[in-house]
Amino acid sequence: MANRPSFANRIAQADPETLIAVARLLASSLSLVAVFLDPTTPHSNVTETYTVLCLYVAVSIILLVLPAPPRWREHSRVAQTAIDVFTLGLLAHYSDDLQSPFFVFFTFALISATMRWGWRGVLATAVLLQLLLVIVAIPDMRADGDWSMNVLLMRFVYAWVAALMLGYFGSYRARNERRLQELASWPIRMMPDDDRPWLAEALQHAARVLGTDHIVVVWQDQDEGHGTIGFWTGDHCEFVDRVTLPAPLSELKAAAAADPRRMLRRLNSRGGSPAWNAMLGGAKQSLHLAEFKGIRYHGLVIVIDPAFRDENVEAFTRIIGARIALALEQFSIANGLAAAASLKERVRVMRDIHDSVLQDLTAAVWQLDATRATLPPDAQPVMNKVRNLLQQQHTRLRTLLNGSRTGRSAPSFLRHQLHTLVEPLATQWACRLDISVEPENLRVSDETATELCLALSEATANAVRHGSAAALRIDIRARHGDLQVEIADDGCGLEARAGLPQSLCERMADLGGTLVAAGSTHGCRLRLVFPIGAVNG
């Protein structure tokens, strides 16, 4: 008994055509019983009324027992509506015209049209019923004496009020069905891209489902203190990372219920932009919020001024919040898989480098040691210089490979890594290097230090080879979670070079940083900025 569906569920699960057929049979059968108990007027038409009702009951039984095959279903619906309207006209004609009790069938015809075709079907059926009403009223208008104009007008008003209300119901149902279909077609493209195009596409899709130009998502990693804001402004999506939220997300939700505009302004002070300001100024601040919480992320979806303001907006907002939470979790998993695949590939490449390049460098140093004793004294300094350079490159490569293999990420002093990997560049390129680090005890992970050292190596090589520089000044500063690196040389200037090194530009792009160059005829200055915690790859 506990698992048996309720009567309301049985009705909701019924086929609409079956429900209409049952309702038609009940209405026609009970009308026949009612006429039998209390015959209609005029009495001269009682036989005709019985005949029409009996035929209508017979047709109702046939339509219930023998439903139309699927390929003829739409034609059958049109034919059934025509039969219902025509039967109503005959019954009204044989039972006192405008005073006929059978005008209650108006409601049945309008409801069945709503279930079949929505608001368009209701309006079309209402027009047919109005024509029928005029035709039925003609005998009364031609008859001598007063005729019931007020009854005619009331019939008109009743039919149109019922049509408008049922039309709204049909439109409401069609709109919800369309929104459910759009939710079912939610984009599932998931790529571990830094600019999150998948999330921008999801917000655009959510805005289309809810009929709004403004939708905001605020979320934070539950293992970190900072948050992220993403917002759709009607034509594009923007993201603001590493935002310090003004309050816990649960408090923001309560603040939005009390004062939506103030809550948005509080977020704006953390994640403001021209697009955000324009959104905040143009919105009326009718807000709908949904909180979501996944394994890793906790956030809010904020829908501003949706076009559809029915009671289902809250439910749709919660569904969208759940989908975005799922997308964020999938993105986290995809990033983890991509990082694991990248690490596996890098380990393979490093093993190949160890087994080939390092062994070749070791063999070259050994050969130089073996032949150095046979060279004349004046060639010894040059041979020693070449031998030391090869030895330095051997040590440098081994340090990079060991650091990548062990996966060490504990912070250590940056100046130690620079001493090992960067200062030998002065000997390699026969130039002077002046390096300063602020603060001196700056600690960074091995991954960050490696990225910086590789960038400085490329910048030094480019300055000497293409700019003929003899001295470089490197200033490294830690500011607001970023490494700011200034590289100035005394070369021939930026204009005389072939351009910035492509690998350095790509490295900064991968790290989520920036590279700015300024030059003159007496040197070049590069400014590199990237997050301290950034890791290439």
Side-chain angles (χ1 to χ4, degrees):
M1 293 293 293
N3 296 326
R4 182 176 297 177
S6 64
F7 177 75
N9 288 334
R10 289 178 180 271
I11 295 296
Q13 295 169 4
D15 177 64
E17 290 300 318
T18 302
L19 192 60
I20 292 173
V22 171
R24 181 188 293 108
L25 179 59
L26 288 174
S28 59
S29 301
L30 293 177
S31 297
L32 183 60
V33 173
V35 170
F36 176 78
L37 296 177
D38 183 14
T40 62
T41 57
H43 297 289
S44 58
N45 295 331
V46 170
T47 302
E48 289 82 353
T49 303
Y50 276 136
T51 303
V52 173
L53 278 175
C54 289
L55 290 175
Y56 195 40
V57 170
V59 170
S60 300
I61 294 174
I62 293 173
L63 292 176
L64 178 62
V65 176
L66 300 175
R71 61 176 181 173
W72 297 106
R73 174 161 293 187
E74 190 59 35
H75 298 287
S76 174
R77 290 173 177 175
V78 175
Q80 290 178 42
T81 302
I83 291 173
D84 293 335
V85 173
F86 181 71
T87 303
L88 172 59
L90 288 178
L91 292 173
H93 173 68
Y94 289 125
S95 57
D96 210 7
D97 297 326
L98 288 177
Q99 304 294 335
S100 172
F102 293 104
F103 275 110
V104 295
F105 280 103
F106 263 35
T107 305
F108 170 75
L110 291 173
I111 292 177
S112 61
T114 304
M115 296 174 62
R116 286 166 171 161
W117 302 295
W119 65 270
R120 293 182 177 85
V122 172
L123 293 181
T125 305
V127 171
L128 289 177
L129 292 175
Q130 298 307 306
L131 293 175
L132 172 66
L133 194 58
V134 171
I135 295 173
V136 170
I138 290 176
D140 279 355
M141 289 185 288
R142 288 180 176 178
D144 295 334
D146 296 333
W147 61 283
S148 302
M149 179 179 290
N150 61 340
V151 176
L152 176 63
L153 293 178
M154 290 301 295
R155 301 287 191 197
F156 267 112
V157 171
Y158 172 79
W160 281 114
V161 168
L164 290 176
M165 295 183 68
L166 290 171
Y168 170 79
F169 167 75
S171 176
Y172 176 83
R173 188 183 68 168
R175 185 173 68 241
N176 280 345
E177 182 178 355
R178 183 171 62 252
R179 286 194 285 180
L180 288 172
Q181 290 174 351
E182 289 177 347
L183 279 177
S185 62
W186 189 273
I188 58 175
R189 183 167 64 97
M190 184 59 60
M191 296 295 292
D193 298 328
D194 291 336
D195 56 351
R196 292 163 288 213
W198 54 272
L199 186 52
E201 187 177 358
L203 291 182
Q204 180 183 8
H205 192 82
R208 186 166 58 249
V209 169
L210 295 172
T212 181
D213 289 334
H214 306 131
I215 185 168
V216 180
V217 179
V218 184
W219 74 93
Q220 63 181 158
D221 192 326
Q222 298 188 70
D223 296 331
E224 300 179 7
H226 59 79
T228 304
I229 298 177
F231 55 97
W232 174 258
T233 61
D235 55 1
H236 72 287
C237 190
E238 290 190 15
F239 296 97
V240 184
D241 294 304
R242 305 187 70 82
V243 177
T244 302
L245 298 178
L249 289 171
S250 56
E251 294 183 15
L252 285 178
K253 185 177 180 181
D259 190 345
R261 184 178 290 273
R262 184 170 180 270
M263 188 276 292
L264 288 176
R265 281 199 301 268
R266 293 176 67 187
L267 282 179
N268 184 43
S269 64
R270 268 71 180 177
S273 72
W276 179 282
N277 293 330
M279 178 185 70
L280 186 63
K284 300 175 183 177
Q285 269 68 68
S286 169
L287 262 64
H288 298 268
L289 293 89
E291 187 176 4
F292 61 84
K293 184 175 291 187
I295 299 174
R296 180 173 179 180
Y297 296 102
H298 179 205
L300 283 177
V301 177
I302 307 171
V303 180
I304 305 175
D305 295 338
F308 312 120
R309 301 188 182 182
D310 51 60
E311 66 276 9
N312 288 333
V313 171
E314 298 291 342
F316 279 111
T317 304
R318 289 194 296 270
I319 293 173
I320 288 172
R323 294 302 301 263
I324 291 177
L326 179 61
L328 288 172
E329 298 294 340
Q330 288 176 335
F331 176 69
S332 176
I333 295 173
N335 263 343
L337 293 175
S342 176
L343 178 61
K344 182 178 180 181
E345 179 63 18
R346 292 177 73 177
V347 168
R348 185 190 66 79
V349 172
M350 290 171 184
R351 183 177 63 247
D352 294 344
I353 292 175
H354 179 274
D355 294 342
S356 58
V357 178
L358 281 182
Q359 298 302 332
D360 292 343
L361 287 175
T362 301
V365 171
W366 183 81
Q367 290 288 344
L368 288 176
D369 288 339
T371 59
R372 185 170 50 179
T374 64
L375 295 176
D378 58 344
Q380 290 289 338
V382 177
M383 182 62 67
N384 288 336
K385 184 176 181 180
V386 173
R387 191 254 182 207
N388 291 336
L389 180 60
L390 290 176
Q391 186 64 48
Q392 289 173 0
Q393 295 302 313
H394 181 279
T395 303
R396 186 181 179 190
L397 270 176
R398 184 173 291 279
T399 301
L400 291 174
L401 291 177
N402 288 340
S404 297
R405 282 182 175 182
T406 57
R408 293 175 299 162
S409 59
S412 55
F413 289 116
L414 177 60
R415 53 189 173 86
H416 292 166
Q417 288 101 323
L418 296 178
H419 175 75
T420 302
L421 301 175
V422 176
E423 289 182 2
L425 293 173
T427 303
Q428 177 181 344
W429 294 106
C431 64
R432 188 178 74 255
L433 282 180
D434 294 323
I435 304 175
S436 68
V437 180
E438 182 183 324
E440 290 188 358
N441 61 347
L442 176 62
R443 293 175 178 266
V444 298
S445 66
D446 285 347
E447 293 91 335
T448 300
T450 299
E451 294 295 338
L452 176 60
C453 292
L454 293 174
L456 294 178
S457 176
E458 179 64 22
T460 303
N462 193 61
V464 174
R465 293 175 57 196
H466 301 293
S468 302
L472 287 88
R473 174 72 184 177
I474 301 174
D475 296 313
I476 303 172
R477 305 286 182 268
R479 293 289 187 272
H480 308 296
D482 291 335
L483 274 184
Q484 301 178 0
V485 184
E486 299 275 354
I487 307 171
D489 65 60
D490 61 352
C492 60
L494 186 63
E495 291 78 4
R497 304 186 187 182
L500 293 175
Q502 184 68 23
S503 61
L504 188 57
C505 296
E506 292 175 355
R507 187 178 299 278
M508 287 297 104
D510 290 343
L511 293 173
T514 59
L515 171 61
V516 180
S520 64
T521 57
H522 303 291
C524 176
R525 183 180 296 273
L526 299 179
R527 177 179 172 83
L528 287 64
V529 180
F530 63 93
I532 289 180
V535 177
N536 190 1

